[in-house]
Amino acid sequence: MTAGERILVVDDDESMRSALAETLTRCGHLVDTADVDCINKMEAKDYRLVIADVKTPGTNGLEILEQIKNSYPKTGVILITAYGTVDTAVESMKKGADDYLLKPFSGDALESAVKSVLDGGGTGQTHASAVAVKNSAASSKNGSTPEREFLTCNKTMKEILQMAERTASSTASVLISGESGTGKELVARYIHRKSKRSSGRFVAVNCAALPENLLESEFFGYEKGAFTGAISRKTGKFELADHGTILLDEITEMNVGLQAKLLRVLQEKEIDRVGGTSPVPLDVRIIATTNKHIDEAIAQGRFREDLYFRLNVIPITIPPLRERMEDLPLLVEHFIKKFSLRCGAGVKGIAKEAMEILGKCRFKGNVRELENIIERAVLFCRSDTILPQDLFPVPPQESGNITAGEFKLTGTVEEMERKLIMGTLERVGDNRTRAAGELGISIRTLRNKLKAYKNSGGNE
């Protein structure tokens, strides 16, 4: 994402303005805020992006949107709306909004939306060309946008990256499968970066995040006057990715009707803008991802089999983190450095005991879950080393850390539970945090158990 851009946040809620401004400032942007009247501010400064709440006393986001698009057509606009006003969100997109955020949303969702708009998503052809030039200059080393590293020492992952690099030289469609958080988009960006298209745009579209009635216009764009409120032509994601790569994330969430139109794009290499009179030829590399079993979607009639065959020319399956745990130390070290730098913390490493706890996690959220755990640990760490107590809440542990052979399974359930707890404490050197983690209970529960044992005449 282009850093250092000037952004205006418009909201009557002071706490919301402050929160948005803080997040965007942390990303390196220059942020101003306004409660209602933003046009006067825009006359004084040149803003690349305006973020405004749809519900603003005395006016509303749609009015602000129209004013901005009429006076400053090259300025991007993101509207914030509540879940109960999806119709308003649809209307805002038709009137030229570049994106919208549904409340409540996370900081990551805000950063992603801002990145998409500043990198050229939906801001008109003139502005898109200007962004493409900037990205082209940056892509000689890193691709069209700043890239995150793909760290691995796993044999399977190395083979996948080698396959991805060989794939990059072709124009064949790629279907990347894997659980959420495994790094499917990173592999897609890696393919783009290694290809001859690296000077072109990499445009990512989350098929699950857009309402069904907005997908077609988002994908293919529309002409001015195509429908009520279409005050200017909108460039679709496919056109933005011309001579580059488009990533269709969570492809199985796309409705069947649009799947038929996507099939035509793959076959004919052209798109039809909504309200257009002639097809627009395109040269786009398509990469799709899914975290679902696509065979099931086909069997249930939710995904076209002919489209699957078109997309699945080169299939890539990303293994979950639990199947490549040798990558854990690399990833932990990387995330510690990343978040320590971002938060201005002095965290330099992780204790052996804390690392052992992570080594026994199931990581259902894969690398993304690990990243969140380390970010939280860095934030709350009180020294230069992450300790077991910094990993709260304790991530779910793999079962079977203690085998039946370590104690005899005799006596009552209460007696066996006590043996298990005391045996675990002895094995981890009386570290209660680590013992609680391995036992899958809270520290408070462990403390209460030990207190009960002491009161009954046993030893703690």
Side-chain angles (χ1 to χ4, degrees):
M1 172 170 56
T2 307
E5 299 290 357
R6 189 170 290 282
I7 298 175
L8 178 62
V9 174
V10 184
D11 200 301
D12 66 303
D13 186 335
E14 183 178 357
S15 61
M16 176 61 81
R17 289 200 307 270
S18 299
L20 293 174
E22 181 180 350
T23 300
L24 295 169
T25 301
R26 194 171 63 241
C27 293
H29 298 294
L30 306 174
V31 184
D32 292 329
T33 62
D35 51 1
V36 177
D37 187 8
C38 67
I39 298 301
N40 288 338
K41 285 210 169 194
M42 294 190 69
E43 291 174 351
K45 294 180 182 179
D46 182 21
Y47 292 99
R48 277 288 309 281
L49 176 64
V50 176
I51 302 174
D53 197 320
V54 168
K55 298 296 184 182
T56 304
T59 182
N60 63 61
L62 295 179
E63 292 177 1
I64 293 173
L65 170 65
E66 289 191 44
Q67 291 175 351
I68 293 172
K69 288 301 180 182
N70 286 333
S71 303
Y72 306 93
K74 294 183 182 179
T75 300
V77 179
I78 296 176
L79 293 183
I80 299 172
T81 183
Y83 274 115
T85 56
V86 173
D87 290 341
T88 304
V90 172
E91 185 181 355
S92 72
M93 297 297 280
K94 288 182 178 180
K95 289 189 174 182
D98 298 274
D99 207 343
Y100 66 91
L101 290 166
L102 293 176
K103 293 180 181 178
F105 55 87
S106 65
D108 287 343
L110 173 65
E111 290 181 31
S112 177
V114 170
K115 175 183 183 299
S116 176
V117 174
L118 292 181
D119 284 352
T123 54
Q125 196 164 17
T126 304
H127 175 248
S129 298
V131 173
V133 172
K134 291 182 180 180
N135 285 340
S136 178
S139 67
S140 58
K141 291 185 179 180
N142 300 319
S144 59
T145 56
E147 298 293 338
R148 291 188 293 169
E149 296 178 78
F150 204 112
L151 300 173
T152 186
C153 59
N154 176 263
K155 180 181 177 182
T156 300
M157 277 310 310
K158 286 181 178 180
E159 291 173 351
I160 287 172
L161 293 178
Q162 289 172 2
M163 178 191 298
E165 190 164 354
R166 292 195 300 271
T167 297
S169 61
S170 75
T171 60
S173 300
V174 181
L175 180 61
I176 304 175
S177 305
E179 297 177 9
S180 294
T182 50
K184 298 186 292 296
E185 182 172 340
L186 281 182
V187 173
R189 289 183 179 274
Y190 183 83
I191 292 172
H192 172 75
R193 193 166 70 248
K194 293 292 183 179
S195 73
K196 294 178 181 179
R197 299 171 176 268
S198 59
S199 60
R201 305 278 292 285
F202 181 94
V203 178
V205 186
N206 187 341
C207 299
L210 291 172
E212 184 175 324
N213 52 348
L214 280 181
L215 275 172
E216 184 174 0
S217 61
E218 279 296 298
F219 277 3
F220 308 131
Y222 54 75
E223 296 288 355
K224 180 179 180 180
F227 44 77
T228 303
I231 59 176
S232 62
R233 195 182 83 179
K234 178 180 176 66
T235 305
K237 303 296 187 182
F238 272 86
E239 260 187 282
L240 289 171
D242 195 19
H243 301 296
T245 304
I246 188 166
L247 171 65
L248 303 179
D249 195 23
E250 306 303 346
I251 187 70
T252 52
E253 300 300 318
M254 183 185 294
N255 73 76
V256 177
L258 191 58
Q259 289 175 29
K261 296 183 179 181
L262 176 58
L263 184 63
R264 183 178 181 279
V265 174
L266 285 161
Q267 291 171 340
E268 306 299 332
K269 307 297 183 185
E270 61 186 24
I271 57 114
D272 292 305
R273 297 193 194 105
V274 178
T277 57
S278 59
V280 179
L282 290 179
D283 175 21
V284 179
R285 174 51 161 316
I286 297 179
I287 301 178
T289 69
T290 179
N291 62 2
K292 305 287 178 61
H293 294 292
I294 204 163
D295 291 341
E296 294 179 6
I298 293 172
Q300 295 168 4
R302 293 186 292 106
F303 199 82
R304 293 178 63 111
E305 190 173 31
D306 49 1
L307 177 58
Y308 168 69
F309 290 134
R310 283 281 183 175
L311 292 172
N312 198 43
V313 178
I314 300 175
I316 294 177
T317 301
I318 310 296
L321 179 58
R322 60 184 173 274
E323 293 180 10
R324 49 185 174 104
M325 290 296 280
E326 60 266 46
D327 286 343
L328 189 65
L330 281 174
L331 293 168
V332 169
E333 180 183 6
H334 171 71
F335 291 139
I336 289 175
K337 289 180 180 177
K338 172 183 175 180
F339 294 115
S340 185
L341 180 64
R342 177 182 294 183
C343 301
V347 181
K348 298 178 181 178
I350 183 168
K352 179 182 177 182
E353 295 80 7
M355 195 66 192
E356 288 177 353
I357 291 176
L358 292 177
K360 294 171 183 174
C361 291
R362 295 191 292 272
F363 289 118
K364 291 184 177 180
N366 293 290
V367 179
R368 188 179 296 121
E369 181 184 1
L370 173 64
E371 183 175 12
N372 293 340
I373 290 169
I374 298 301
E375 181 178 13
R376 185 168 59 244
V378 167
L379 186 62
F380 289 98
C381 182
R382 296 184 179 180
S383 66
D384 63 354
T385 303
I386 293 175
L387 301 174
Q389 56 264 35
D390 298 320
L391 300 176
F392 69 91
V394 178
Q397 306 285 300
E398 291 286 5
S399 60
N401 292 332
I402 301 177
T403 63
E406 294 181 19
F407 59 91
K408 294 181 179 180
L409 297 175
T410 58
T412 65
V413 171
E414 288 78 13
E415 289 171 346
M416 288 189 289
E417 178 189 71
R418 177 172 177 170
K419 289 178 183 179
L420 180 60
I421 289 175
M422 300 310 293
T424 303
L425 279 168
E426 182 179 355
R427 185 166 53 80
V428 300
D430 240 14
N431 185 318
R432 294 187 179 185
T433 301
R434 183 179 168 191
E438 292 195 5
L439 291 165
I441 60 177
S442 68
I443 297 178
R444 181 179 180 181
T445 298
L446 177 60
R447 189 184 300 118
N448 290 339
K449 294 285 184 183
L450 294 174
K451 184 177 180 181
Y453 299 155
K454 184 177 181 180
N455 291 338
S456 65
N459 296 321
E460 229 183 303

